[in-house]
Amino acid sequence: MNNNLIINDKKNQDLFFICTYGCQMNEEDSEKLSGMLKRIGYERTDVKEDASIIIFNTCCVRENAENKVFGNLGQLKALKEKNPNLVIAVCGCMMQQKGMADKILKTFPYVDIIFGTHNSYKFPEYLNRVKQEGVQVKEIVDKESKIVEGIPIDRKSDLKAFVTIMYGCNNFCTYCIVPYVRGRERSRKPEDIIKEIEELVSEGYKEITLLGQNVNSYGKGLEEEINFASLLRRINEIEGLERVRFMTSHPKDLTKDVILAIRDCDKLCEQVHLPVQSGSSKILKDMNRHYTREQYLELVKMIKEEIPNVGFTTDIIVGFPGETEEDFKETLSLVKEVEYDSAFTFIYSRRKYTPADEMENQIDDAVKHERFNRLVDTINEIVARKNKEFEGKVVEVLVEGTSKNDESRLTGRTRSGKLVNFTGDFNNIGKLVNVKITKAQSFSLTGEEV
């Protein structure tokens, strides 16, 4: 990668604006785009009208995200007419879909750059071509490329950071488009991961979240024989690092050695994100998830036995094709049995080129929404009750800054992932402190530093 392609006049420094859709992987991709732009002299702005470069980093997991991209691109036409030198770029998962890039260019001909998930590291080169040659650039790489190390990252936080340990997915759940847009599983070398984390710690970072579409598959394809549990134990030995989290785990691949690593390693937080998607074995089979309801519950039981204070979170899809009322009730009963601390809940969204899109027995939207509301009500009731159990307890919190809703209070999270807003010493921002919980809210805890 040539980072000397563009040299900006510092007296007239250009600004860029990035809008990110989707998951934590997309967030980290945007941090890298920001890092590359800052390295060549640009600065970030939160006001797109002030920007000379506007980037939409897209998601295609759900139709709603795509519709937002189309709507926001339409609004840029006036900005482009007002400032012909404005560079508009669209990238990310949505661009990897068949025919999508051409559709974007046809509908929004004022877009200057389109690229996909596998070649984002080349963005400075594309920008240079647009600015120097006045051309329109469209470059979508269909096959995943080798992992490119050393890309600069402009991280949102100076306390917590995402570190990707692997890319892609091999699971092909019938509802999911990720394997088609992110490619097959590729693991980063452990020494590169360790080096990145050590550098972050030297810069003052306290908490790392390891990312991968399926972190439990880590190690496949590497020359060195290493698995995810071994990597976790190595990371736990890094001096100065306070906390480690990870996501996402696929239930079919979460092994006991990973559970024991969480139990044994003092820096690994007692939090497990374990997407279930459905509580019905029949629906799970149709989803191609490779586990049953019973196997999932047995795994949960094992985790709770080894890690008593674990915080459980999950993903659940409502209204998958063929889901009956009885199937949905099985999801509700599983939620009540596991007692999640929070859950990401989704109404099934049809995605072209996925097997589920071709399935018969698509569920009526009204039925989907009614079931979704019942599920959310059930989860919220459980979360509120579990939060109530924290009242009077003292918990460890990493102080992240001031509360968004009340600047006189501090905010942070417990090891199990609970959000805590509390009164305390502002000099402790960036430190681990003990907080006594005085009141439980529906989605957070309130307390005072002790």
Side-chain angles (χ1 to χ4, degrees):
M1 182 177 66
N2 186 353
N3 289 313
N4 298 314
L5 289 170
I6 306 168
I7 304 297
N8 279 334
D9 182 354
K10 291 290 183 179
K11 295 179 181 178
N12 186 25
Q13 201 167 50
D14 285 316
L15 302 175
F16 66 91
F17 172 89
I18 300 180
C19 181
T20 307
Y21 304 84
C23 67
Q24 290 86 353
M25 299 288 285
N26 278 25
E27 288 183 31
E28 199 207 31
D29 287 345
S30 287
E31 289 180 342
K32 289 178 179 176
L33 289 168
S34 180
M36 287 185 283
L37 283 168
K38 283 194 170 184
R39 176 172 285 185
I40 57 178
Y42 290 82
E43 288 297 327
R44 188 164 183 163
T45 178
D46 293 327
V47 182
K48 64 175 177 288
E49 289 79 8
D50 294 342
S52 61
I53 302 170
I54 295 177
I55 305 171
F56 287 160
N57 186 4
T58 64
C59 171
C60 61
V61 172
R62 273 164 282 281
E63 185 178 15
N64 186 46
E66 288 190 5
N67 291 337
K68 285 182 179 179
V69 172
F70 291 135
N72 287 329
L73 279 174
Q75 294 174 11
L76 295 185
K77 184 177 181 180
L79 281 179
K80 186 74 168 182
E81 290 175 345
K82 184 179 179 180
N83 177 17
N85 292 323
L86 171 66
V87 176
I88 300 173
V90 188
C91 62
C93 297
M94 189 172 159
M95 296 305 99
Q96 292 291 151
Q97 295 180 88
K98 184 178 179 181
M100 182 58 72
D102 291 333
K103 180 180 179 180
I104 293 286
L105 291 177
K106 182 177 180 181
T107 311
F108 311 101
Y110 44 86
V111 169
D112 299 285
I113 307 172
I114 288 182
F115 57 99
T117 59
H118 304 314
N119 55 318
S120 60
Y121 67 94
K122 296 177 71 175
F123 178 63
E125 175 188 325
Y126 304 147
L127 179 62
N128 187 67
R129 287 174 58 189
V130 170
K131 294 179 76 69
Q132 300 299 326
E133 302 170 27
V135 297
Q136 194 175 50
V137 176
K138 182 193 80 170
E139 189 164 314
I140 309 296
V141 179
D142 291 331
K143 187 172 177 59
E144 58 272 14
S145 60
K146 64 179 182 179
I147 294 174
V148 179
E149 297 288 351
I151 300 174
I153 304 180
D154 174 33
R155 303 185 189 271
K156 282 186 176 181
S157 167
D158 55 6
L159 288 176
K160 305 194 302 181
F162 294 130
V163 173
T164 298
I165 64 169
M166 61 181 300
Y167 300 88
C169 182
N170 291 357
N171 287 308
F172 291 93
C173 300
T174 56
Y175 54 82
C176 186
I177 201 169
V178 168
Y180 306 97
V181 298
R182 286 280 180 182
R184 302 293 80 75
E185 292 174 350
R186 293 102 65 208
S187 298
R188 291 179 67 193
K189 294 178 181 179
E191 57 266 30
D192 291 330
I193 296 169
I194 299 295
K195 179 183 177 183
E196 180 177 351
I197 297 174
E198 287 176 341
E199 289 175 351
L200 287 168
V201 171
S202 71
E203 295 168 12
Y205 284 84
K206 303 294 185 181
E207 180 177 303
I208 302 298
T209 298
L210 307 175
L211 294 182
Q213 301 296 341
N214 178 14
V215 291
N216 302 117
S217 293
Y218 177 78
K220 293 180 180 176
L222 293 176
E223 292 183 8
E224 179 181 351
E225 189 171 329
I226 184 172
N227 59 22
F228 185 49
S230 300
L231 178 68
L232 288 175
R233 292 183 184 275
R234 284 197 200 181
I235 291 172
N236 191 67
E237 296 173 1
I238 297 175
E239 290 188 17
L241 180 61
E242 300 281 3
R243 288 180 171 184
V244 180
R245 303 184 193 273
F246 60 84
M247 63 189 315
T248 296
S249 284
H250 195 299
K252 75 177 178 64
D253 296 317
L254 181 57
T255 56
K256 188 168 183 178
D257 59 350
V258 172
I259 298 169
L260 295 180
I262 301 171
R263 182 197 69 183
D264 298 340
C265 297
D266 62 318
K267 294 170 185 176
L268 284 174
C269 290
E270 297 80 12
Q271 181 182 16
V272 176
H273 184 70
L274 197 65
V276 66
Q277 307 301 4
S278 174
S280 162
S281 292
K282 177 177 76 70
I283 296 298
L284 289 171
K285 183 177 181 181
D286 291 343
M287 288 178 167
N288 195 38
R289 292 290 289 174
H290 297 287
Y291 56 85
T292 64
R293 170 196 177 91
E294 292 73 23
Q295 289 170 330
Y296 183 92
L297 289 174
E298 191 62 33
L299 186 58
V300 168
K301 180 182 177 183
M302 183 195 306
I303 293 171
K304 287 185 174 182
E305 287 175 350
E306 298 292 347
I307 315 165
N309 297 318
V310 67
F312 260 111
T313 58
T314 195
D315 299 341
I316 300 174
I317 296 173
V318 173
F320 187 81
E323 180 189 72
T324 64
E325 176 64 18
E326 192 58 39
D327 292 322
F328 176 68
K329 285 182 177 177
E330 287 195 65
T331 296
L332 286 181
S333 68
L334 182 140
V335 165
K336 293 174 182 177
E337 185 170 345
V338 176
E339 295 191 318
Y340 295 104
D341 291 88
S342 69
F344 298 96
T345 52
F346 307 98
I347 293 174
Y348 168 71
S349 176
R350 297 178 73 166
R351 300 282 75 196
K352 288 183 179 180
Y353 313 114
T354 62
D357 184 50
E358 304 297 326
M359 290 181 179
E360 299 179 356
N361 301 321
Q362 298 287 332
I363 307 301
D364 182 77
D365 282 347
V367 174
K368 289 182 186 179
H369 283 87
E370 189 274 336
R371 289 177 183 170
F372 179 81
N373 292 336
R374 284 157 60 195
L375 174 64
V376 170
D377 288 344
T378 300
I379 292 169
N380 288 348
E381 181 182 326
I382 292 169
V383 172
R385 175 169 50 79
K386 293 194 73 176
N387 282 353
K388 196 77 175 174
E389 296 172 0
F390 279 83
E391 290 184 350
K393 293 183 178 180
V394 175
V395 295
E396 180 192 89
V397 175
L398 174 61
V399 189
E400 298 175 20
T402 57
S403 172
K404 291 181 179 178
N405 299 323
D406 184 355
E407 292 189 355
S408 68
R409 290 177 176 268
L410 296 167
T411 191
R413 290 190 181 271
T414 67
R415 288 177 63 91
S416 63
K418 294 287 185 182
L419 178 65
V420 184
N421 297 307
F422 61 99
T423 55
D425 186 350
F426 278 63
N427 291 318
N428 286 332
I429 291 177
K431 299 178 182 178
L432 294 171
V433 301
N434 289 324
V435 176
K436 183 176 181 179
I437 304 304
T438 56
K439 186 178 180 181
Q441 313 288 341
S442 297
F443 305 105
S444 64
L445 304 172
T446 300
E448 54 191 26
E449 187 178 334
V450 294

